[in-house]
Amino acid sequence: MKPRIRINRFLACSGLGSRRKCEELIRRGTVTLNGVIVERLSIEVDPETDEVKVDGQRVAPSSKSIVLVINKPAGVLSTVTDSHGRRTVIDIAGEQGYRDRLFPVGRLDLDTTGILILTNDGNLAYRLTHPGFKVEKTYHVSVENEVTDKSVTALESGIRKGSFETQPCKVRILKRRKNRTELEVVLKEGKKRQVRRMFAILGYRVAALHRKALGNLEFNDLNIGDIRPLTVKEENRLRELTGLI
Ligand code: URA
């Protein structure tokens, strides 16, 4: 028999978003357990026998986990759908024959390119994006102007402006000229537009941003727009990084 699990974890594993987002669904009264509205966040669920519904639709953790990686092109949204009909990474997955109920793990801005995981595994997604699991994301950043050593030190120590605060990170200058600097930035968190905002606060504009690795996984075989399932080795590596195995 599988152990009982907290309702928020059950919902996250069913692909409904982070545990925090799932708690919000519970607070809004949209979740029922065996026909009764769930009011306590601490309630536990038996995944084998209990019936959980969100807005009247039965939900359950997917038994077969699918994990794909896309090298996201610029101009494509990293969301499931878009109310304005713009192209999303899930549209690309569908065009390439992956029609499962997938969602992107975290977000890359419209103009950002690079590595993005698509999965139906809510638990893996949650762990890859939660800063507590400290999964490294490596970015190649092209900045207009010459980035000074002082700015590199400031970026590495953590940036603070109003409520925007970043943890210490690794920064390496790859190439530096008067009108352009290429850098590698390794973050263990993923705040909205984090890289662009960190540089903007120091007075720089990011001209191009590409995510080139997750943990030590680089997916070098993927051209922009390519998508493929992770190999067993890669998937196990991601599960190790997030403490799932
Ligand atoms: N940081 C950003 O500013 N944008 C991204 O897309 C990813 C990280």
Side-chain angles (χ1 to χ4, degrees):
M1 195 182 82
K2 282 193 188 166
R4 295 174 74 81
I5 59 171
R6 289 272 292 256
I7 183 89
N8 60 346
R9 176 141 183 256
F10 178 94
L11 295 171
C13 292
S14 306
L16 288 142
S18 67
R19 286 191 221 187
R20 206 181 310 151
K21 277 196 187 144
C22 294
E23 286 176 3
E24 198 43 50
L25 293 175
I26 296 166
R27 282 199 196 90
R28 278 197 248 132
T30 59
V31 181
T32 58
L33 171 60
N34 301 325
V36 179
I37 291 182
V38 175
E39 287 174 349
R40 278 186 303 119
L41 298 177
S42 59
I43 212 157
E44 292 192 331
V45 173
D46 181 334
E48 307 243 298
T49 55
D50 284 332
E51 185 187 70
V52 176
K53 290 187 177 176
V54 177
D55 284 329
Q57 297 280 329
R58 185 150 192 196
V59 296
S62 168
S63 51
K64 185 172 164 283
S65 146
I66 298 165
V67 189
L68 309 176
V69 57
I70 181 168
N71 190 345
K72 179 188 148 337
V76 172
L77 289 167
S78 52
T79 53
V80 175
T81 53
D82 179 49
S83 52
H84 301 292
R86 289 173 295 177
R87 198 155 179 251
T88 73
V89 286
I90 300 301
D91 293 334
I92 299 184
E95 287 156 17
Q96 299 193 25
Y98 300 103
R99 302 195 199 286
D100 311 272
R101 197 169 160 265
L102 299 167
F103 48 89
V105 177
R107 294 249 167 121
L108 292 178
D109 302 334
L110 186 68
D111 291 336
T112 303
T113 55
I115 298 310
L116 186 66
I117 299 291
L118 312 178
T119 187
N120 63 350
D121 184 334
N123 200 10
L124 177 66
Y126 170 75
R127 286 168 179 247
L128 283 172
T129 47
H130 193 288
F133 293 95
K134 299 191 184 304
V135 176
E136 289 190 341
K137 290 122 194 144
T138 304
Y139 295 91
H140 183 114
V141 192
S142 304
V143 175
E144 290 176 353
N145 301 332
E146 186 176 348
V147 176
T148 62
D149 289 340
K150 194 169 159 219
S151 296
V152 169
T153 307
L155 291 162
E156 282 185 324
S157 328
I159 298 285
R160 187 183 275 196
K161 187 168 183 206
S163 60
F164 180 73
E165 244 180 75
T166 66
Q167 292 167 10
C169 66
K170 289 186 241 164
V171 180
R172 195 158 64 91
I173 301 249
L174 304 173
K175 221 187 262 178
R176 180 158 54 183
R177 300 209 193 90
K178 273 262 160 287
N179 57 356
R180 178 65 59 128
T181 311
E182 308 281 335
L183 307 99
E184 184 181 273
V185 175
V186 185
L187 303 181
K188 289 185 180 168
E189 54 181 346
K191 296 188 158 63
K192 201 170 172 200
R193 298 180 71 79
Q194 179 161 343
V195 174
R196 294 177 202 273
R197 288 168 78 189
M198 287 167 73
F199 280 91
I201 287 167
L202 298 178
Y204 302 102
R205 202 184 86 80
V206 170
L209 184 58
H210 178 82
R211 181 151 75 193
K212 52 188 237 187
L214 258 188
N216 62 355
L217 295 172
E218 291 205 347
F219 308 105
N220 283 329
D221 59 315
L222 290 178
N223 292 320
I224 289 285
D226 282 356
I227 184 165
R228 68 163 171 80
L230 262 61
T231 63
V232 172
K233 208 168 151 196
E234 287 166 341
E235 192 173 327
N236 283 342
R237 184 72 196 111
L238 279 193
R239 291 184 188 282
E240 270 168 26
L241 280 175
T242 53
L244 283 169
I245 53 177

